[in-house]
Amino acid sequence: MNHRIMQNKRSPWMSIVLGLMLFSLIIFSGLPLVNSIFQENQLFSQSDSVTAISPEQKAQWEAEASGYQKVLLREPENETALRELLNIRLKQQDLAGAIAPLSTLAKIHPTQPEYGILLGQAKQYSEDNEGAASAYRDVLATYPDNIMALGGLVNLFLSQNLSERAIAILQNTLDRVSEKEESNVDLGSIKLLLGEVYTETQKYTEAINLYDEIAEADTSDFRPLLAKALVLQKQEKTEEAKSLLESAYELAPAEFKDQVKGAISN
């Protein structure tokens, strides 16, 4: 299986921003939405690097932001100013301040769904759940199989204890894609999202059955083995989980081996 989920070409700047913003590695790099392992990869967790920012650096960022805001008063769609202001707000972890430039960038670049996805995540973090859902759905209206938008909406539903909605949108997507004779959609990633919903709602049998189905369809994919192992750990089936984790480690691409190894040692 091709583990690169991203479908559209992006600028280097956009790749950096996405690397910072996305909540879950399934959306960006092909790993399952396994919060028990990858919580440290979320953008909005506290970190020493953030608290260590000097007052001088903060003042410099704010001065730069003020300059870009003045430019945008004259030229509301100046892309350089919008991107630079967004970059500063991300470095400041000011997600409320990031919403305005993201909204404009999403509007002027409707063919780049990443902006809408980032907007959804910023609104979700700012506790605007309705706005977040609207941003994700705007992307899905044009790109109904976009795994990042699906993952964002599923994450939003789970945060509101709306698991049945999460299951419904994923199942509907799978049903629709399965009806197509030819499709470039990564069904495995969508199924992994569905499996994670089952896991989060303690529907362990359904999750395991789905992970087995994914693994059978592609014996080279480490993700369903890892996901199933984590379910088995929750069920305290330690030895069976360890065996699967070791198999997942062998199959995992080099950039993910350390993370899988961490799961084995836990």
Side-chain angles (χ1 to χ4, degrees):
M1 175 180 290
N2 183 357
H3 295 289
R4 189 185 71 177
I5 292 180
M6 299 299 300
Q7 297 174 348
N8 297 332
K9 293 183 179 179
R10 300 186 300 270
S11 67
W13 176 87
M14 179 60 76
S15 296
I16 292 171
V17 173
L18 282 171
L20 290 172
M21 286 290 292
L22 294 175
F23 285 118
S24 158
L25 290 181
I26 186 175
I27 301 171
F28 185 63
S29 60
L31 282 171
L33 227 145
V34 184
N35 295 326
S36 58
I37 292 181
F38 302 120
Q39 285 177 343
E40 69 273 16
N41 292 294
Q42 295 178 0
L43 169 65
F44 309 123
S45 59
Q46 295 297 318
S47 67
D48 293 338
S49 62
V50 173
T51 57
I53 295 173
S54 68
E56 292 79 9
Q57 179 66 79
K58 291 180 181 179
Q60 179 182 340
W61 282 342
E62 199 51 52
E64 291 174 356
S66 178
Y68 292 125
Q69 286 173 320
K70 289 178 181 177
V71 172
L72 291 169
L73 286 175
R74 301 191 305 270
E75 305 173 59
E77 295 187 356
N78 184 302
E79 290 192 47
T80 298
L82 287 166
R83 290 196 300 265
E84 293 299 333
L85 179 59
L86 173 58
N87 188 42
I88 291 170
R89 294 312 186 207
L90 293 178
K91 289 190 290 189
Q92 294 173 320
Q93 291 200 343
D94 178 6
L95 270 296
I99 288 174
L102 273 173
S103 296
T104 304
L105 286 165
K107 181 181 73 173
I108 64 179
H109 288 293
T111 61
Q112 294 185 29
E114 294 89 348
Y115 286 118
I117 294 157
L118 294 173
L119 177 61
Q121 293 193 343
K123 287 190 173 185
Q124 181 178 348
Y125 187 73
S126 300
E127 299 184 351
D128 179 5
N129 291 335
E130 184 176 344
S134 178
Y136 293 133
R137 290 188 186 281
D138 284 346
V139 173
L140 291 170
T142 305
Y143 302 96
D145 306 321
N146 186 290
I147 189 66
M148 295 189 300
L150 283 170
L153 191 55
V154 166
N155 182 288
L156 177 65
F157 285 151
L158 289 178
S159 73
Q160 299 176 86
N161 295 318
L162 299 173
S163 60
E164 292 305 315
R165 290 191 187 182
I167 291 171
I169 191 170
L170 290 171
Q171 191 60 64
N172 289 340
T173 301
L174 287 171
D175 292 344
R176 176 173 45 77
V177 172
S178 297
E179 292 175 356
K180 298 180 180 178
E181 292 185 4
E182 295 184 8
S183 174
N184 294 324
V185 178
D186 186 350
L187 285 174
S189 293
I190 299 174
K191 290 179 179 180
L192 282 165
L193 279 172
L194 180 55
E196 176 63 14
V197 177
Y198 287 147
T199 300
E200 289 296 316
T201 53
Q202 299 184 2
K203 296 180 179 179
Y204 297 139
T205 299
E206 290 91 334
I208 287 175
N209 289 340
L210 193 55
Y211 294 143
D212 285 342
E213 177 183 322
I214 301 166
E216 183 178 352
D218 185 353
T219 57
S220 67
D221 192 351
F222 77 103
R223 299 175 299 168
L225 303 183
L226 173 60
K228 181 179 177 179
L230 294 175
V231 174
L232 294 174
Q233 284 182 341
K234 290 176 180 291
Q235 296 176 313
E236 299 184 353
K237 298 179 180 179
T238 307
E239 291 304 315
E240 190 176 350
K242 183 178 179 181
S243 177
L244 278 175
L245 286 170
E246 290 172 348
S247 297
Y249 178 82
E250 293 300 320
L251 290 172
E255 62 266 32
F256 302 134
K257 284 189 180 294
D258 286 344
Q259 292 156 317
V260 179
K261 187 176 181 179
I264 296 174
S265 62
N266 288 339

